[in-house]
Amino acid sequence: MRTIITFVLALALLNSCQNTGKKKTEDGKEKSSVALTAAGATFPMPFYNMVFKNYTNETGVQLTYGGIGSGGGIRSLTDKVVDFGATDAYLEDDKLAEMPAEILHIPTCLGAVVIAYNLPGIDELKLSNDLLLGIFMGEITKWNDAAIQSNNPGVSFPDLAITFIHRSDGSGTTHIFSDYMSKISEKWAAQIGTGKSLNWPVGMGAKGNPGVAGTIQQTTGSIGYIGSEYAFAQKIQTAKIQNSSGAYVLPSIESVSAAAQGEIPADTRVMLTNSSDPAAYPISGFTWIIFYKEQAYNDRSLEQAEGTLKFLDWLISEKAQTEASKVNYSPLPAKAVSLSKEILRTATYNGKPVLK
Amino acid sequence: MNSDKITRIVLYSFSFLIILVAGGMVFSLVGGAIPAIKTFGLQFIWSNVWDPTEGSENYGALPFIAGTLITSFVALILCLPLSLATSLFLGEYFRNTRIARIIGLMVDLLAGIPSIVYGLWGFYVLRPFLIDMGFENQGFGVFTSSLILAIMIIPYATSLGNEIISMVPNDLKEAAYSMGATRMEVISTVILPTARSGIFAGYILAFGRALGETMAVTMLIGNSNRVPDSFFGTGNTMASVIANQFGEADGLKLSSLIVIGLLLFLITGIVNGIGKLIIKKMG
């Protein structure tokens, strides 16, 4: 596995090296010859692809991102074959201790997990916590179940079996979804738990967001969870979810942002699910970039370290963040940005801070 | 150095490379499999739990072994009458005619279609059709996967059988005809017995292909990590679970997936071994 990743990244590097020959950017400014390589989560990829390109145009710094999954991103950083990694699930303390050196997290944008369904003619579906549990644990098996009916007065549900579609591959989307389910139910936490892939009691799997979305679209009576960036881009019909203040909230760029208004710890490692903000969509979360605190490793030059941190500093700047909503992510709240700026300034090269 | 010597060195080194590649594959599979084998032992093969939840990780291969063997066997059974009929059509009844050439071309074309295209066709065409026919509720599962596999392996089962059937010596057939045998009798008493080892070899090849098929199956079987509870139930196969979960797997899960890969390797080897044995006996 390690050799495969190294090989892919080597190819990517080779590719970016060829491009560094062109030293002129569009506006003809002074070019940097730094080339950065990153790999990890697929969830923020549309955002990264767009802003990485913008940054290259602006500064000449070549950026390569491999969407190989959060697990792959962490592995690549562990193996020190990338300048920074990307992950949808932050590293727990025990995983942090296993890393070869201290690593830091900064969030880059917010996304959510939406509940998509396929019921022709039904445009609004309100799901309380009990309904979510009942459906996804296999206790409610028909759409015309009295519990669903009484929660959605005025809607007539068909006598149709509920088909639950989950992810068949490991995914940060599953992690956020199951984290929320574990928070609203002790039963879920005990029987199914939280993770990137789970031991599902019911339903069937499909690969990736497109796989789940496609299967739902093709299967009448199905329901499943999808990453918001994909669902918003495809304009997929989603259910309103009840947050802990009791309000039913439809997922949107704004309601996802609202989920991050609460307390954020100094190292930014926090799950935002089950926010108590009345306007917040409860199945929301950060996606992170991870990098080594000590940037002098593997013969990296000071230039390379500076390039990495300057770019990350730019990524959380207003300029980059305003782009996020164009590709259906929610920008970071001010609090998260200021915390991340502080974190970036604790990174060092041979013990000396890199950013001022 | 003369050209003979150079040729020999090139041949030797390339042949040695094959051994190196195959050996290296087995070596790295076994190396990666060790943690899971140490943890679960032989029980891994017949345990039907697949629980990746952190803290209570527990893996077993039975659901996937069952899924792979069931879908492949059913596919083979479904493809048998079709491919035998096509082989006879191409190799005996309409040998060297224009229509045989066209159908032969179509069969070869089937072999060249990428498996993702079969998967998409199964997903968007075959599955809704099965739902409309009332076979299945949601159209995913063992039956749909077997059906698509059966279509995919037809070329493998057909082309070998067709070659062998057309190679049955004319003298034999003419001898049978001259003794007053009907065409049906010639086929059942002369052609099939003479060609059976070749026809059988085609089926082994087809079965091996069905065992390893990944993409089309993963799109249609439902990917639920349980032993299928009925012929129309959902399940998963060995190749499909590896393709689905390898990307995000680490630790014990990664190792368990590698064991499944190793088991698939073994099963394919055993099937080929048994096939060769039977072919030898027939010959």
Side-chain angles (χ1 to χ4, degrees):
Chain A
M1 195 61 212
R2 174 182 300 200
T3 36
I4 296 172
I5 294 176
T6 319
F7 181 68
V8 170
L9 291 170
L11 272 182
L13 256 177
L14 210 70
N15 188 29
S16 60
C17 286
Q18 288 168 343
N19 296 337
T20 42
K22 309 177 217 150
K23 288 253 163 173
K24 267 198 176 153
T25 54
E26 277 164 14
D27 43 12
K29 271 192 234 156
E30 188 84 4
K31 303 300 125 230
S32 159
S33 58
V34 175
L36 302 177
T37 315
T42 47
F43 159 71
M45 239 177 116
F47 174 53
Y48 290 171
N49 281 344
M50 186 176 70
V51 292
F52 282 25
K53 208 171 86 198
N54 291 352
Y55 191 70
T56 303
N57 286 341
E58 213 171 277
T59 62
V61 173
Q62 294 294 329
L63 286 154
T64 315
Y65 185 77
I68 57 174
S70 297
I74 295 168
R75 266 201 301 272
S76 306
L77 191 69
T78 313
D79 298 344
K80 299 184 175 171
V81 292
V82 290
D83 292 294
F84 54 91
T87 174
D88 296 334
Y90 61 77
L91 278 78
E92 301 283 354
D93 290 341
D94 57 332
K95 287 270 160 72
L96 274 184
E98 282 171 19
M99 296 297 282
E102 186 178 353
I103 69 151
L104 300 172
H105 290 69
I106 58 161
T108 57
C109 65
L110 285 133
V113 175
V114 306
I115 307 297
Y117 61 96
N118 179 346
L119 286 173
I122 296 178
D123 303 328
E124 194 187 90
L125 179 66
K126 285 197 278 190
L127 293 175
S128 64
N129 290 347
D130 286 344
L131 284 182
L132 280 179
L133 275 172
I135 291 172
F136 296 135
M137 292 192 84
E139 283 150 14
I140 301 177
T141 56
K142 287 271 188 177
W143 280 108
N144 59 355
D145 191 285
I148 300 180
Q149 193 71 70
S150 66
N151 205 51
N152 293 273
V155 183
S156 86
F157 287 94
D159 177 17
L160 199 64
I162 295 177
T163 310
F164 169 39
I165 318 283
H166 55 73
R167 288 284 289 268
S168 60
D169 48 336
S171 162
T173 309
T174 305
H175 182 261
I176 292 181
F177 174 73
S178 56
D179 180 78
Y180 175 67
M181 296 303 283
S182 293
K183 275 183 186 168
I184 61 172
S185 157
E186 278 172 21
K187 194 172 152 198
W188 179 288
Q191 284 183 19
I192 302 176
T194 306
K196 285 182 200 162
S197 57
L198 301 166
N199 186 17
W200 297 103
V202 288
M204 54 192 181
K207 196 165 164 34
N209 282 323
V212 174
T215 307
I216 291 176
Q217 212 168 14
Q218 287 286 314
T219 312
T220 315
S222 60
I223 186 164
Y225 61 91
I226 304 175
S228 60
E229 84 290 0
Y230 189 80
F232 291 166
Q234 302 286 320
K235 306 213 173 359
I236 288 167
Q237 189 166 55
T238 56
K240 284 185 175 173
I241 306 298
Q242 188 179 31
N243 66 22
S244 61
S245 78
Y248 284 93
V249 182
L250 205 60
S252 69
I253 307 249
E254 296 74 32
S255 63
V256 172
S257 264
Q261 298 306 328
E263 276 301 297
I264 300 169
D267 62 2
T268 74
R269 291 188 302 147
V270 63
M271 292 303 289
L272 301 173
T273 48
N274 205 21
S275 161
S276 58
D277 190 307
Y281 180 74
I283 324 178
S284 304
F286 282 136
T287 182
W288 287 270
I289 279 194
I290 50 176
F291 53 97
Y292 286 105
K293 182 174 185 184
E294 173 54 60
Q295 286 282 307
Y297 58 90
N298 271 14
D299 302 324
R300 287 172 95 228
S301 64
L302 178 62
E303 203 189 8
Q304 188 79 3
E306 268 178 1
T308 306
L309 293 167
K310 271 186 189 158
F311 166 70
L312 294 178
D313 202 40
W314 176 86
L315 186 59
I316 54 170
S317 71
E318 207 185 326
K319 189 163 187 187
Q321 287 291 314
T322 47
E323 300 283 301
S325 55
K326 278 192 202 160
V327 273
N328 303 305
Y329 299 86
S330 301
L332 292 174
K335 176 111 196 278
V337 172
S338 62
L339 277 175
S340 304
K341 286 202 178 279
E342 278 169 38
I343 291 169
L344 284 172
R345 276 152 188 79
T346 63
T348 56
Y349 187 85
N350 284 332
K352 285 184 207 119
V354 180
L355 290 182
K356 303 232 157 53
Chain B
M1 223 188 312
N2 63 26
S3 63
D4 243 15
K5 235 180 181 170
I6 295 173
T7 314
R8 205 166 63 204
I9 290 171
V10 169
L11 288 181
Y12 270 75
S13 49
F14 281 170
S15 310
F16 186 69
L17 207 66
I18 300 280
I19 299 176
L20 216 65
V21 169
M25 246 187 234
V26 173
F27 180 77
S28 57
L29 275 182
V30 170
I34 285 171
I37 295 175
K38 267 190 184 154
T39 316
F40 302 116
L42 269 183
Q43 209 200 324
F44 184 82
I45 298 174
W46 58 82
S47 155
N48 62 0
V49 185
W50 184 266
D51 185 357
T53 319
E54 240 166 274
S56 65
E57 276 184 294
N58 193 358
Y59 302 107
L62 187 66
F64 314 111
I65 296 176
T68 297
L69 290 181
I70 295 171
T71 49
S72 303
F73 267 120
V74 174
L76 189 63
I77 290 164
L78 289 174
C79 119
L80 238 132
L82 256 170
S83 57
L84 190 61
T86 316
S87 294
L88 283 172
F89 183 96
L90 297 177
E92 170 63 19
Y93 276 76
F94 292 88
R95 180 150 42 122
N96 295 332
T97 60
R98 179 185 286 262
I99 181 138
R101 271 198 296 277
I102 293 172
I103 292 179
L105 198 74
M106 291 295 152
V107 171
D108 290 343
L109 209 66
L110 279 183
I113 296 173
S115 92
I116 182 83
V117 175
Y118 278 104
L120 285 172
W121 180 77
F123 188 83
Y124 286 109
V125 181
L126 183 64
R127 196 178 69 92
F129 176 72
L130 288 176
I131 296 172
D132 289 345
M133 296 279 285
F135 271 117
E136 280 180 78
N137 197 3
Q138 298 306 341
F140 288 104
V142 172
F143 179 67
T144 317
S145 313
S146 304
L147 211 54
I148 205 89
L149 274 178
I151 300 170
M152 292 178 77
I153 63 177
I154 284 175
Y156 299 87
T158 304
S159 18
L160 203 56
N162 155 26
E163 285 299 311
I164 303 282
I165 286 172
S166 64
M167 270 157 52
V168 171
N170 263 335
D171 297 357
L172 277 182
K173 286 188 269 181
E174 276 156 17
Y177 280 127
S178 65
M179 292 198 319
T182 62
R183 195 154 204 186
M184 207 45 230
E185 283 165 344
V186 171
I187 289 173
S188 60
T189 58
V190 175
I191 295 180
L192 289 185
T194 317
R196 64 182 177 181
S197 72
I199 296 172
F200 189 78
Y203 289 136
I204 293 292
L205 196 71
F207 188 66
R209 160 91 180 156
L211 284 177
E213 178 45 45
T214 313
M215 223 37 236
V217 172
T218 204
M219 291 175 75
L220 292 169
I221 196 163
N223 299 308
S224 53
N225 303 332
R226 293 180 287 267
V227 177
D229 50 10
S230 77
F231 192 50
F232 294 104
T234 57
N236 212 344
T237 66
M238 302 168 88
S240 160
V241 72
I242 296 172
N244 267 304
Q245 311 216 339
F246 202 79
E248 285 280 347
D250 52 14
L252 203 53
K253 188 174 171 189
L254 186 66
S255 179
S256 298
L257 289 172
I258 293 173
V259 178
I260 291 181
L262 199 60
L263 286 173
L264 186 57
F265 202 88
L266 277 177
I267 290 177
T268 316
I270 291 171
V271 166
N272 278 322
I274 295 176
K276 282 220 172 98
L277 214 74
I278 296 177
I279 291 168
K280 219 175 179 181
K281 272 202 169 156
M282 281 178 170

